[in-house]
Amino acid sequence: MKQMKSSKPPVAVPAISISRLSLYARRLATLERKGVEMVTSSVLADACGVNSPQVRNDLSYFGGFGVKGVGYYVGELLFEIRKILGLDKQWRLGLIGVGDLGTALLKQNQFANDEYAFVAACDKDPKQVSRQIGEITIEPFDSMERAFNAAKVEIGVINISHRLAQKVADKLIKGVGVRGILNFSAADIQCPKHVFIENVDFTLSLDKLCYRLTSSSPR
Amino acid sequence: MKQMKSSKPPVAVPAISISRLSLYARRLATLERKGVEMVTSSVLADACGVNSPQVRNDLSYFGGFGVKGVGYYVGELLFEIRKILGLDKQWRLGLIGVGDLGTALLKQNQFANDEYAFVAACDKDPKQVSRQIGEITIEPFDSMERAFNAAKVEIGVINISHRLAQKVADKLIKGVGVRGILNFSAADIQCPKHVFIENVDFTLSLDKLCYRLTSSSPR
DNA sequence: GTATGTGAAACCGTTCACAGCA
DNA sequence: TGCTGTGAACGGTTTCACATAC
């Protein structure tokens, strides 16, 4: 019998499949904007740089969203993937450490489908405090707990020196109750099992590039 | 017989091993600063959140850097990993599209071990052109080819609208001759086989967080 | 006829266990 | 004795091939 759509998968889904679902969602959104109504796994696969069994396999973790012999309805599949990923609501982000990158993030504060929004920010530099960026007023670092609770922050975005990152993470978890942290610092943050951390570090990508540049050409 | 140190590996090394080598290098650099001279695979593994066979296996793709029964010399291993990754020289970066994020990158322009340096930047916004950030003067977009060639740019860093990304990439490859591109745009850039692309996109990390937050708690 | 969904097969990366060496 | 380096075993992801459904 066919599995219920979007039900919880019985087996663990590889993290890499989840990343690909994000990709699929983006391409589907583009197709939807173009008015395309149907798509096959091979067309979607080509658009994402993977192959078609991969697409079908990734989707099959969560159920059958397609029509045999036909393909997938773009709008429906996009809706289902968004639901799987939890992107059918807006997530409230709180930024710790404004700096240049943080300023860029707050000024942007614009996501493809309003899945995210920065709702609070704080910094320990007095020059930053009270500065207004978009709709956000920078709070002093000491008021983080109060401000983030008031703003109902769900995900903490850490953008401070790696030395302070662990302490801030602890405070976010215990004081604000966040279960997700996006970490732009170089720190390797430890946290309880119910909290999830994603690290963002473009120098790792640069290092990968360098290896490939170096290993593919004579020295 | 023992393999030559740092020689080209006979089999393809998984990309994920390369990422871990970057991590090892960072931790080793920290140990070196602390004056630690020797390290075992398990100590290094713990510091990087992996396990010791993983470390030994990753290193064994490139040769034997350790001393049996003892461990690895921190300085020597760091030197070898840097050589493997191609970080024993400074790579020259050229930025296309300054914007807020680009400004942050140029202002920073400071890497842990001087492995990278932005040496040129351009933007199509007349308000950005001629602006000076650190040592870099923003060039007009139309002068990119000339300016990047003059500055001997080796890696292009794309930070513009995804609509223009492919065209800029083509120009970087054909006009400037870069073989590596760091792509901060949402575009899926196509390129010849001898060119390498790394995409940086923190919203993918956010999506992963959301999935885990959503799937680990009742809706 | 055509494309999905899925069990089976192939592949690849990780972990194990131990031989080899300081 | 202790830790590295490595071939072998394991586990998990990707790919294949085909039954199924439209």
Side-chain angles (χ1 to χ4, degrees), chain B:
Chain B
M1 241 348 43
K2 187 163 150 189
Q3 197 186 353
M4 270 301 269
K5 282 191 178 182
S6 282
S7 65
K8 292 272 169 62
V11 298
V13 182
I16 194 164
S17 284
I18 301 303
S19 299
R20 283 192 298 263
L21 288 184
S22 294
L23 276 183
Y24 303 159
R26 286 164 202 206
R27 297 290 183 272
L28 287 168
T30 306
L31 291 173
E32 193 178 50
R33 272 195 301 276
K34 284 184 188 165
V36 178
E37 291 193 359
M38 297 293 300
V39 70
T40 64
S41 58
S42 15
V43 170
L44 185 54
D46 286 350
C48 296
V50 300
N51 52 27
S52 58
Q54 184 80 271
V55 171
R56 295 201 299 276
N57 192 49
D58 287 338
L59 294 175
S60 75
Y61 283 115
F62 299 95
F65 305 122
V67 184
K68 293 190 180 184
V70 181
Y72 302 87
Y73 287 97
V74 170
E76 189 189 316
L77 185 56
L78 179 54
F79 177 85
E80 294 294 342
I81 294 181
R82 286 220 177 105
K83 200 160 113 191
I84 291 165
L85 294 176
L87 299 180
D88 50 352
K89 59 159 275 186
Q90 186 178 65
W91 293 86
R92 304 171 71 82
L93 311 180
L95 178 67
I96 305 97
V98 176
D100 289 315
L101 171 60
T103 303
L105 294 174
L106 291 179
K107 272 198 195 169
Q108 193 73 18
N109 205 2
Q110 181 71 41
F111 296 86
N113 208 48
D114 286 334
E115 320 94 312
Y116 307 104
F118 282 98
V119 294
C122 67
D123 200 290
K124 74 178 187 352
D125 180 356
K127 269 175 272 178
Q128 293 282 359
V129 172
S130 298
R131 194 155 77 98
Q132 177 109 11
I133 304 178
E135 312 233 310
I136 312 289
T137 305
I138 315 297
E139 301 279 341
F141 181 74
D142 292 335
S143 314
M144 179 187 88
E145 225 171 295
R146 191 185 43 67
F148 278 27
N149 276 311
K152 297 195 174 62
V153 165
E154 296 167 296
I155 294 176
V157 179
I158 293 182
N159 184 39
I160 55 178
S161 136
H162 69 97
R163 256 172 277 261
L164 298 170
Q166 182 67 57
K167 273 192 183 164
V168 165
D170 293 343
K171 213 168 152 188
L172 275 171
I173 296 166
K174 282 181 199 146
V176 185
V178 305
R179 293 195 304 123
I181 291 175
L182 189 69
N183 174 34
F184 281 94
S185 88
D188 179 28
I189 296 175
Q190 303 298 320
C191 68
K193 274 196 297 280
H194 73 281
V195 179
F196 302 103
I197 298 197
E198 281 290 324
N199 298 301
V200 182
D201 185 349
F202 75 92
T203 61
L204 284 177
S205 303
L206 271 178
D207 287 357
K208 268 188 266 178
L209 266 186
C210 286
Y211 170 73
R212 295 199 275 185
L213 292 175
T214 303
S215 64
S216 72
S217 79
R219 294 181 75 92

